[in-house]
Amino acid sequence: SQSRYRFVSATILTPLLYVSFKQPIDDPEPRTFVGRIHQAEPQPIAVDKQAKKDIDCLAANIYFEARGEPIEGQLAVAHVTLNRMEHPEFPKTACEVVKQKTFNPKAQKHVCQFSWRCNNTFKIKHDRHQFVPDMYERIRVLAEQVYRNRSNRHDITGGALFYHAEYVPTSAIGVEGLRKTAQIGKHIFYRAPT
């Protein structure tokens, strides 16, 4: 049987993006949102050198982690990256967050926080041959808008710092003690316990 939905909210994300959310009536917690993002035509925005690097890293992360997801899933990956930048236990720039490795005691080695960074197929020095151009340009616009308006954003992940694809068993990645905040597209999102 199909779920019935109720309207939850419409939120302005940036001057160019807003999202309207609906939620299954029978699933009030944890939140599962079905959203639609509406986008106006982007205007060029001047950015400094560090901001351009961070936007490129954020766009690459969205592209490689969520390019097959609906725009809500892409936005959710952007939010996790930005949430980490704002959290005291993570690096302070998008590039440092995306490139971060941590020690995995089970594997006895340092592992990438984002799986695409581990396969060494991409260096974040814009090799445009690795992108589907139209798709990447849309994702880069999203990354730039979210990055530039990060202090005034509505986080659809509920403050998530972690996520994984729904097909990955939780026992393989250690989500014990984390609080599930949302499932958006094919990713499940978590935040640290408060």
Side-chain angles (χ1 to χ4, degrees):
S1 82
Q2 289 205 336
S3 293
R4 293 180 43 211
Y5 292 90
R6 66 174 170 244
F7 177 77
V8 176
S9 68
T11 303
I12 296 173
L13 301 171
T14 74
L16 299 178
L17 295 172
Y18 72 93
V19 64
S20 57
F21 291 107
K22 59 185 181 177
Q23 181 180 38
I25 290 173
D26 57 350
D27 185 22
E29 193 66 33
R31 295 182 308 225
T32 301
F33 291 115
V34 176
R36 179 165 183 229
I37 297 199
H38 312 272
Q39 183 171 352
E41 282 299 313
Q43 300 299 315
I45 299 172
V47 294
D48 63 40
K49 190 175 181 179
Q50 182 59 51
K52 183 184 180 317
K53 286 180 186 178
D54 278 343
I55 291 165
D56 286 344
C57 291
L58 181 59
N61 202 40
I62 297 166
Y63 183 88
F64 287 110
E65 289 285 313
R67 69 181 173 270
E69 291 289 302
I71 196 164
E72 298 85 11
Q74 295 170 4
L75 183 62
V77 167
H79 284 302
V80 168
T81 308
L82 297 176
N83 290 345
R84 287 182 175 199
M85 285 172 53
E86 295 166 358
H87 194 277
E89 294 181 23
F90 289 92
K92 297 300 172 214
T93 70
C95 289
E96 290 171 337
V97 165
V98 169
K99 294 175 182 179
Q100 183 183 24
K101 290 185 176 185
T102 57
F103 186 74
N104 180 330
K106 288 182 182 177
Q108 289 295 302
K109 65 179 183 177
H110 283 86
V111 295
C112 298
Q113 292 290 300
F114 299 100
S115 58
W116 69 271
R117 290 287 301 152
C118 288
N119 64 17
N120 294 323
T121 61
F122 180 78
K123 303 284 184 209
I124 304 180
K125 293 188 178 184
H126 251 20
D127 180 355
R128 298 231 178 223
H129 298 290
Q130 297 186 51
F131 297 113
V132 175
D134 291 343
M135 182 183 296
Y136 177 76
E137 290 308 318
R138 283 192 305 274
I139 287 173
R140 192 172 189 300
V141 167
L142 175 69
E144 184 168 347
Q145 291 300 313
V146 173
Y147 181 86
R148 303 270 299 155
N149 293 283
R150 65 191 178 275
S151 63
N152 190 26
R153 65 188 167 97
H154 174 74
D155 180 0
I156 65 172
T157 70
L161 295 170
F162 310 96
Y163 66 91
H164 64 85
E166 64 185 0
Y167 60 83
V168 176
T170 56
S171 61
I173 53 173
V175 297
E176 301 84 21
L178 298 179
R179 182 169 176 242
K180 181 178 175 181
T181 60
Q183 180 164 351
I184 302 168
K186 294 183 179 180
H187 289 107
I188 302 170
F189 295 83
Y190 302 87
R191 68 176 178 217
T194 51

